Amino acid sequence: MSNTPLRAALLIVSTTAAKDPSTDASQAALSDVLEKEGDGKWALVDTKIVPDVVTQVQRQIMLWTDVAADTINLVITTGGTGFAVADNTPEAVSAILHKPAPGLVHGMLAASLSVTPFAMMSRPVAGVRNKSIIITLPGSPKGARENLQAILKTLPHACLQAAGLDSRTLHAGGVKKLEADAGIGSGSHSHSHDHQHSHGAGHQHSHGHGGLVRHTAPSSNPMSNDPNLGPSRRNRESPYPMLSVDDALNKIKEQTPPSEIITTKVDRSLPGHVLAEDVQARENVPAFRASIVDGYAVVVPKDGNLKGVFPVASVYHASPGEVKPLKEGEIARITTGAPLPPGATSVIMVEDTILKTMTEDGKEEKEVEILADNVKEGENIREIGSDIKTGTVIISKGEQISAVGGEIGLLAAVGVAEVKTYRKPVIGVLSTGDEIVQHDRPGDLRLGEVRDTNRITLMSAAQECGFEVVDLGIAADKPGTLEETLRDALRRVDFIITTGGVSMGELDLLKPTVERSLGGTIHFGRVAMKPGKPTTFATVPVKNNAGERVTKVIFSLPGNPASAIVTFHLFVLPSLHQISGISPAGLTKVPVTLAHDFTLDKTRPEYHRAIVSVGKDGALIAASTGGQRSSKVGSLRGANSLLCMPSGKEPLKKGTKVDALLMGGIRSEV
Ligand code: AMP
Ligand code: MG
């Protein structure tokens, strides 16, 4: 074994000690154990104190395990392992472990349980990240000391192996020699120790960390794979915590950038936008006293009796022009919508009249007999502002201008030519993968090629939902290519939707590129759902063309076509709605009745592609579109909804009520 001491670093996790280091007693206790009981094998090279904040714990550990020039062999944390709300050290550490070490955990717990049952209240974790062993000790100096003592003798061997010392060299002489080296015996139950334990693939000699290129600060949550390290060093399990769908939606709500308010012309591009202001009528409707029938304007006498023959003094059509006052005893012919002459107090419908005499040429009416008595003032007249008065709020802030309905007409009627709205984001859609080819490329596919299904699907869906779409093409699985494509896209669009490259393959570059090259933050990288588990949501700070700092959004959806479109509807749409001011955001949810039995996924809630229709009794019924495998493009055919199915071992029976998220219109059952 090596004669140079192993390098240990100590992280004190304590909000109190972070404020006042003098309150910490663990450091003294633990350095004492390393020094007095470590057989001279240890050098405590660094000690840091952080508060009980997950990201700070992770950041400091990763400074030691990922970027330190000389390997830190052992990272010891103390504190934050209990059950209190602030106790998060085990979670922080396990999220960044490359390999867990349950044996070390067992050793620590067994030793301290033999001292006190309260050891049950410590939740230690241990494992390997890069070349370092990490262990989490409790915060109490006594507990920390006992735990460390329990495993101290085996740690040198573990550390050397983690650092990449050849296993054959390490194990020459067998386990007895190892135990002798460590100064421990395997005791009475001398378990046969045939070294079946896996040593992983990373047994090259140490090459240090010089080759690691970091473009972002270590604090930027560097949990994704470093593509430079190659397949043997990638995380073998996603380091991202698995969020529930609700938690993922909450994250999206929280991290979707604020809406921007712009001035929009009232024209055909306005429908779909949401008003960012109350809009008032600029003018009265109608703007003048107008007739609502074809007939004769009259001045109603006191007794209301208009029976008799009257000369037709003037004629008014619905066209702008001069009007001259009307006197009692005269009438004026008037058409629907025409302005009334001043003095007129009512309009008699043409049906209530008889033509009496004509002009000599026979072309005009001269006299007309009116057959009405009991006429009241104001009959058949629309007064100024009787529909809408100047200054009244006609549409309120937050209301969406629909494409089917009257809002746009309302704005037009009252002379509003532009309004303040929430700007709709421009969306770029990118496919990734070396195997993906343009969907309409002529000729047969070569082995391994796949036609790009997702880009055209997502662009169509986003456009149908009312958003401007930019085609970002297909990016190859090369770190540089992807980075360049994304950088360029960030200049052109507000939201980027990518598909592919978020699984756990070594060519799955999305997360590392977003985090390491673009300085983005990944808010989640895994969701407990089917399909769509690797759905990833990130934001990236950028400067816009005006040099202002803005945040852009990247949704990286799984490559499988069904997963991509399901997660678009489920996660991307609510974010697009939110930033556009559309509320409630996301698909409309309605209760439906299952038309047949549905098998469930045993562990994950499933979004089952289905056809919802109106049954004969008026109730909504849902039938599956068939096979739901995430690669099945056909599972979306005809689907107008996603059924929110719980996880479960037994099928859900026909007739059960579930929620359906509506992607499209509902038809009557055929
Ligand atoms: P990935 O997430 O890149 O591992 O992709 C998962 C699966 O989806 C693979 O079988 C890919 O070939 C497939 N896939 C990825 N992108 C697309 C796409 N744009 N169109 C069709 N299939 C795709
Ligand atoms: Mg791929």
Side-chain angles (χ1 to χ4, degrees):
M1 283 202 178
S2 159
N3 291 327
T4 45
L6 293 160
R7 295 158 53 79
L10 175 62
L11 183 62
I12 296 153
V13 184
S14 160
T15 304
T16 319
K19 285 198 196 109
D20 178 8
S22 71
T23 58
D24 170 66
S26 312
Q27 182 179 0
L30 293 173
S31 60
D32 190 55
V33 174
L34 286 178
E35 197 180 311
K36 303 236 173 77
E37 300 171 47
D39 306 323
K41 288 181 179 154
W42 299 99
L44 184 58
V45 296
D46 200 1
T47 299
K48 287 277 179 330
I49 308 181
V50 293
D52 288 292
V53 176
V54 170
T55 47
Q56 295 199 33
V57 172
Q58 292 176 333
R59 175 178 183 272
Q60 181 54 54
I61 293 176
M62 288 189 286
L63 283 171
W64 284 326
T65 58
D66 294 25
V67 286
D70 295 314
T71 303
I72 299 288
N73 300 101
L74 177 66
V75 174
I76 304 172
T77 74
T78 165
T81 63
F83 287 79
V85 177
D87 291 334
N88 289 313
T89 309
E91 285 65 40
V93 171
S94 52
I96 57 171
L97 287 180
H98 293 155
K99 294 171 189 146
L104 292 178
V105 173
H106 191 92
M108 288 192 275
L109 283 175
S112 39
L113 272 171
S114 70
V115 180
T116 165
F118 279 102
M120 278 186 262
M121 296 202 48
S122 175
R123 308 179 298 116
V125 296
V128 183
R129 181 177 171 88
N130 292 334
K131 300 190 171 200
S132 315
I133 302 271
I134 308 172
I135 58 171
T136 65
L137 304 178
S140 89
K142 182 170 174 301
R145 174 188 280 273
E146 283 160 4
N147 273 264
L148 183 58
Q149 284 166 334
I151 57 171
L152 188 60
K153 300 291 184 210
T154 49
L155 280 175
H157 180 66
C159 287
L160 288 170
Q161 210 179 70
L165 201 68
D166 176 63
S167 80
R168 210 167 296 143
T169 319
L170 269 174
H171 292 171
V175 86
K176 284 279 173 267
K177 174 158 185 307
L178 284 173
E179 288 176 349
D181 274 353
I184 48 175
S186 51
S188 52
H189 48 279
S190 96
H191 45 253
S192 87
H193 200 303
D194 289 334
H195 290 279
Q196 293 295 327
H197 50 267
S198 140
H199 297 301
H203 274 211
Q204 313 94 319
H205 279 281
S206 163
H207 51 61
H209 289 272
L212 218 156
V213 180
R214 288 290 298 272
H215 295 275
T216 58
S219 60
S220 61
N221 193 16
M223 292 199 290
S224 46
N225 283 319
D226 181 342
N228 296 328
L229 294 177
S232 58
R233 300 296 278 173
R234 75 189 141 122
N235 298 322
R236 304 204 83 82
E237 198 182 307
S238 171
Y240 295 90
M242 179 94 88
L243 261 56
S244 68
V245 171
D246 282 347
D247 287 347
L249 287 170
N250 281 335
K251 265 270 176 290
I252 290 171
K253 200 171 184 179
E254 195 180 291
Q255 298 295 341
T256 293
S259 315
E260 208 179 295
I261 295 174
I262 52 161
T263 301
T264 311
K265 278 210 169 61
V266 174
D267 59 23
R268 272 185 299 148
S269 67
L270 182 63
H273 287 82
V274 172
L275 292 184
E277 60 173 352
D278 287 348
V279 176
Q280 296 178 348
R282 290 192 51 234
E283 293 161 354
N284 285 308
V285 180
F288 53 89
R289 295 178 81 217
S291 173
I292 56 175
V293 294
D294 292 325
Y296 297 88
V298 297
V299 182
V300 181
K302 282 219 167 58
D303 63 1
N305 187 355
L306 271 166
K307 284 195 157 143
V309 177
F310 294 85
V312 179
S314 46
V315 176
Y316 299 110
H317 293 144
S319 67
E322 294 288 301
V323 281
K324 59 177 201 203
L326 190 71
K327 295 199 232 24
E328 195 170 330
E330 307 174 333
I331 61 173
R333 196 168 79 237
I334 192 163
T335 59
T336 302
L340 283 161
T345 54
S346 194
V347 180
I348 305 297
M349 291 169 74
V350 67
E351 290 87 341
D352 293 335
T353 65
I354 297 168
L355 176 61
K356 263 301 188 212
T357 58
M358 293 185 285
T359 52
E360 266 157 34
D361 58 8
K363 287 189 176 155
E364 253 308 343
E365 301 172 340
K366 201 169 165 195
E367 288 173 317
V368 165
E369 183 178 355
I370 292 182
L371 307 171
D373 62 359
N374 209 5
V375 176
K376 298 196 177 57
E377 288 192 352
E379 279 178 7
N380 298 327
I381 294 175
R382 284 197 307 153
E383 295 295 340
I384 292 172
S386 59
D387 287 358
I388 303 165
K389 283 215 163 39
T390 306
T392 48
V393 172
I394 49 163
I395 311 180
S396 305
K397 178 177 173 175
E399 278 186 68
Q400 190 174 17
I401 308 299
S402 76
V404 291
E407 296 87 3
I408 190 104
L410 200 50
L411 293 169
V414 298
V416 175
E418 48 182 43
V419 285
K420 296 238 182 318
T421 61
Y422 298 109
R423 187 170 75 80
K424 282 199 187 183
V426 177
I427 302 163
V429 180
L430 175 72
S431 287
T432 73
D434 291 337
E435 78 280 29
I436 307 300
V437 299
Q438 183 71 24
H439 74 90
D440 55 1
R441 196 205 60 190
D444 294 338
L445 293 176
R446 287 187 301 147
L447 176 66
E449 285 183 334
V450 174
R451 293 204 190 268
D452 188 352
T453 315
N454 296 339
R455 193 160 41 106
I456 193 165
T457 307
L458 294 173
M459 288 198 298
S460 308
Q463 191 176 313
E464 176 66 16
C465 295
F467 296 93
E468 186 185 329
V469 178
V470 174
D471 184 349
L472 300 176
I474 302 169
D477 288 326
K478 316 253 175 324
T481 311
L482 190 59
E483 181 183 341
E484 254 171 55
T485 309
L486 290 176
R487 273 191 199 288
D488 178 53
L490 286 168
R491 271 180 232 120
R492 297 162 61 197
V493 303
D494 306 296
F495 271 60
I496 299 176
I497 305 175
T498 71
T499 61
V502 284
S503 316
M504 288 300 294
E506 73 264 25
L507 292 181
D508 288 339
L509 297 167
L510 232 127
K511 287 171 171 126
T513 304
V514 169
E515 284 189 317
R516 292 167 185 265
S517 308
L518 301 178
T521 306
I522 291 186
H523 301 293
F524 61 80
R526 274 200 303 170
V527 186
M529 64 181 289
K530 185 185 168 184
K533 192 165 92 171
T535 303
T536 298
F537 167 59
T539 50
V540 186
V542 291
K543 287 223 171 95
N544 66 9
N545 295 338
E548 300 152 342
R549 291 189 143 277
V550 293
T551 300
K552 303 221 167 170
V553 175
I554 301 182
F555 275 97
S556 293
L557 309 181
N560 276 316
S563 314
I565 186 70
V566 167
T567 51
F568 169 81
H569 283 288
L570 206 59
F571 296 116
V572 184
L573 200 58
S575 186
L576 292 174
H577 279 173
Q578 182 177 326
I579 201 167
S580 313
I582 299 169
S583 173
L587 298 178
T588 303
K589 200 182 254 189
V590 293
V592 298
T593 305
L594 300 183
H596 52 82
D597 291 3
F598 278 71
T599 337
L600 301 179
D601 187 82
K602 288 193 182 59
T603 52
R604 284 179 285 161
E606 181 173 5
Y607 291 84
H608 197 115
R609 282 74 84 197
I611 303 162
V612 168
S613 52
V614 185
K616 297 201 172 61
D617 57 356
L620 296 179
I621 49 173
S624 174
T625 54
Q628 299 284 303
R629 210 170 50 220
S630 56
S631 56
K632 271 205 151 182
V633 196
S635 69
L636 258 300
R637 180 170 160 222
N640 63 356
S641 65
L642 300 172
L643 301 183
C644 308
M645 302 301 239
S647 58
K649 298 207 168 50
E650 300 299 323
L652 269 197
K653 290 283 173 218
K654 173 180 175 175
T656 310
K657 272 220 156 64
V658 300
D659 280 334
L661 294 164
L662 295 180
M663 299 184 289
I666 301 175
R667 304 258 181 124
S668 302
E669 199 186 11
V670 279

